[in-house]
Amino acid sequence: MSFNIARTDKKRVVIVGGGFGGLKLANELHKSGFQIILIDKNNYHQFPPLIYQVASSGLEPSSISFPFRKLFNGYKDIHFRMAEARQVYPEKHILQTSIGKIDYDYLILAAGTTSNFFGNRRIETEAMPMKTLSEAMGLRNALLSNLERSVTCATDQERRELLNIVIVGGGATGVEIAGAIAEMKRYVIPKDYPEMDPSNLHIFLIEAGNRLLAGMSTEASAKAEKFLRNMGVNIYLNKKVTDYQDHKVILEDGMEIPTRSFIWVSGVRANTIGNLPEEVIGRGGRIRVDAYNQVTGVEDIFCIGDQCLMTEDKNYPNGHPQLAQVAIQQGRLLAKNLKRLNQGKAMRPFRYKNLGTMATVGRNKAVAEFKTVKTQGWLAWILWLVVHLRSILGVRNKINVLLNWIWSYFTYDQSLRMIVYARKAKEVKDREERESKVHWGEEPPTTDNIL
């Protein structure tokens, strides 16, 4: 395996991760005199704010994803390679990946985050996360399969476990998936499962803190909680989940909730890249950077978005919130700074401009906060729809999502509730097996073995 990308007289920028920040950076660097290589373990960009709608059968996966190669059609200076970044050798300007090594002039880490299980291996093994499209598809299959099983199971205990849905994490993702499932309970289950009593389906939202949506105002938190309680969601605050055994979620105070639908959206941690100095790794695995997004004490390596920890922005001394807008703004400025470096000019420091935050709970129910405006209910819901629709890549995807939303709004239904398990071809499984065993940096990185 090799990258098969020949060196040119242009400086090479290697970007790890095609999320909001990495994609913005690549696009901003287009036609700026660099050779740009984007690396991602998937061959598509995904839109995380709407992943919960895939998990709840509201949208098709293809509606919130877009292939990188389609995005870069005709871009001669941007190359895409599907690979997993593993470790970096800063002194040699070499990145090790699952398909081999590649050298760089500038390396940008924008690989985002993964679910944080806080070291609890049993929960990591048993819970269903919802951070990626594939995880959302797995969760959708599990929820629908559990509903099907609940109408055929032999015991009341198993039925109770199948119809109890436990969501851990009261941030935006937890609030949104809880609201989506509550609407499914109200509008879908009575029609799809006439033999089932919908009152037997219980939704539990558990948060270790003292309120939902901790990143928003107390007014927004209270309103979101009121919306969810009115929709029939059981909310437990100041409750910490410590274990999951025998189909039971176990809380720190000894409380147990039987369930076979254990959804974990309680925090994230940065994706790791090996061989970086230990002192640059901060809380949550985030990589410490200076005001220019350059990794502290490491030459020619930058980090942006959720993966980085910048404390030099005076308005955010503890680091920026892990939001899409932070990644987009950092990607845009870093592109300008790399151009300035290439011209021998000084870089400019990053200052985050907060454009606001929002979360939706359900039909006509949302909370939104901007610099001078705070709103809840129908208006916030309309604003949420507009902002997210504008942010989705591709005209076809925008149209598909809009039509799905309109159809669901007027019919209280959608027809995406299929249980489909993908089967990998033997060739793909064999290739993944090979890649899992090679290119971990055993051979010394020299110019002779760069692929």
Side-chain angles (χ1 to χ4, degrees):
M1 292 177 287
S2 72
F3 274 83
N4 291 330
I5 301 174
R7 266 287 194 173
T8 67
D9 58 349
K10 299 178 180 179
K11 286 193 174 181
R12 175 181 283 179
V13 178
V14 176
I15 304 170
V16 178
F20 290 115
L23 201 56
K24 171 59 70 172
L25 174 62
N27 282 318
E28 293 287 324
L29 287 178
H30 176 47
K31 293 184 177 180
S32 61
F34 291 99
Q35 182 188 54
I36 305 151
I37 300 172
L38 177 67
I39 299 170
D40 197 288
K41 63 183 180 181
N42 299 309
N43 75 333
Y44 57 86
H45 168 82
Q46 60 185 15
F47 190 69
L50 293 182
I51 279 180
Y52 83 94
Q53 292 202 9
V54 174
S56 58
S57 304
L59 289 174
E60 300 168 346
S62 60
S63 296
I64 62 165
S65 55
F66 208 88
F68 290 121
R69 293 191 180 276
K70 176 68 173 176
L71 286 170
F72 301 139
N73 272 355
Y75 288 22
K76 297 184 182 300
D77 57 346
I78 300 182
H79 308 268
F80 170 73
R81 291 294 183 266
M82 191 171 76
E84 179 183 358
R86 288 178 174 164
Q87 54 189 6
V88 62
Y89 300 93
E91 69 285 353
K92 296 184 180 293
H93 281 58
I94 292 174
L95 174 70
Q96 175 77 63
T97 78
S98 57
I99 62 171
K101 298 179 177 70
I102 188 165
D103 64 322
Y104 60 85
D105 293 297
Y106 299 112
L107 174 64
I108 290 81
L109 304 176
T113 59
T114 188
S115 298
N116 191 353
F117 298 96
F118 306 98
N120 192 315
R121 299 296 298 176
R122 195 198 304 272
I123 289 179
E124 183 175 357
T125 301
E126 300 288 347
M128 294 183 286
M130 195 181 62
K131 194 73 177 64
T132 66
L133 266 181
S134 59
E135 290 174 347
M137 288 296 294
L139 176 54
R140 186 185 82 175
N141 285 336
L143 291 174
L144 295 176
S145 180
N146 285 351
L147 289 175
E148 293 293 339
R149 176 64 179 167
S150 71
V151 298
T152 62
C153 63
T155 68
D156 290 338
Q157 178 62 28
E158 183 182 0
R159 185 173 295 107
R160 189 178 305 111
E161 293 168 357
L162 291 165
L163 294 179
N164 282 350
I165 299 173
V166 177
I167 303 161
V168 182
T173 305
V175 165
E176 288 170 347
I177 188 63
I181 296 173
E183 292 201 324
M184 182 185 292
K185 172 183 176 179
R186 180 178 179 182
Y187 298 117
V188 173
I189 288 179
K191 292 183 289 185
D192 276 17
Y193 301 90
E195 61 271 67
M196 181 195 300
D197 182 354
S199 66
N200 289 330
L201 190 149
H202 302 283
I203 306 163
F204 300 87
L205 179 58
I206 303 173
E207 166 57 37
N210 60 6
R211 63 187 180 98
L212 304 177
L213 301 175
M216 300 183 73
S217 68
T218 54
E219 293 85 356
S221 298
K223 194 67 175 180
E225 181 179 345
K226 181 179 179 181
F227 282 147
L228 287 173
R229 290 192 186 278
N230 288 342
M231 295 167 73
V233 177
N234 302 287
I235 299 174
Y236 294 101
L237 302 176
N238 298 303
K239 297 278 190 178
K240 183 179 179 181
V241 173
T242 59
D243 206 350
Y244 180 77
Q245 295 184 51
D246 302 322
H247 303 302
K248 292 192 292 287
V249 172
I250 301 172
L251 279 60
E252 193 172 45
D253 60 5
M255 179 181 176
E256 297 181 351
I257 305 174
T259 183
R260 299 196 183 201
S261 299
F262 178 29
I263 303 171
W264 186 270
V265 289
S266 181
V268 295
R269 64 173 290 107
N271 281 310
T272 59
I273 181 78
N275 207 41
L276 282 174
E278 186 176 340
E279 59 269 20
V280 307
I281 307 301
R283 72 175 188 279
R286 297 167 78 176
I287 299 171
R288 300 182 189 276
V289 299
D290 61 17
Y292 312 100
N293 282 100
Q294 186 158 11
V295 176
T296 307
V298 182
E299 186 180 358
D300 297 330
I301 300 181
F302 299 80
C303 186
I304 61 176
D306 294 353
Q307 199 176 15
C308 81
L309 179 62
M310 180 189 293
T311 58
E312 295 188 27
D313 188 336
K314 63 180 181 180
N315 294 323
Y316 298 89
N318 297 316
H320 299 103
Q322 290 168 296
L323 301 173
Q325 269 302 318
V326 176
I328 291 169
Q329 292 178 31
Q330 288 181 341
R332 182 184 296 117
L333 179 62
L334 182 54
K336 294 178 181 178
N337 279 335
L338 290 178
K339 295 174 191 177
R340 293 178 68 84
L341 278 178
N342 211 27
Q343 298 165 0
K345 299 178 181 179
M347 294 188 293
R348 294 173 178 167
F350 177 74
R351 295 292 180 266
Y352 174 51
K353 182 179 180 181
N354 188 353
L355 300 181
T357 54
M358 53 180 61
T360 183
V361 180
R363 178 189 306 267
N364 300 327
K365 302 179 184 71
V367 291
E369 297 181 342
F370 305 98
K371 191 171 183 179
T372 57
V373 177
K374 294 181 180 179
T375 182
Q376 301 96 31
W378 180 83
L379 178 58
W381 183 70
I382 293 295
L383 291 172
W384 183 93
L385 292 177
V386 172
V387 168
H388 286 74
L389 193 62
R390 287 187 59 204
S391 302
I392 295 171
L393 294 181
V395 174
R396 175 183 171 278
N397 284 0
K398 293 178 190 291
I399 294 173
N400 280 344
V401 170
L402 178 60
L403 291 177
N404 262 303
W405 284 348
I406 292 173
W407 180 264
S408 297
Y409 188 81
F410 287 105
T411 66
Y412 295 86
D413 194 11
Q414 61 275 329
S415 56
L416 304 175
R417 295 182 296 279
M418 286 81 70
I419 303 171
V420 180
Y421 297 99
R423 181 182 184 275
K424 289 184 179 180
K426 184 177 184 300
E427 171 62 28
V428 174
K429 290 191 287 186
D430 290 346
R431 184 186 308 129
E432 289 178 344
E433 176 70 16
R434 289 194 303 272
E435 289 184 4
S436 70
K437 296 176 180 178
V438 300
H439 297 307
W440 285 97
E442 292 85 355
E443 55 180 317
T446 67
T447 54
D448 294 329
N449 59 36
I450 296 174
L451 301 176

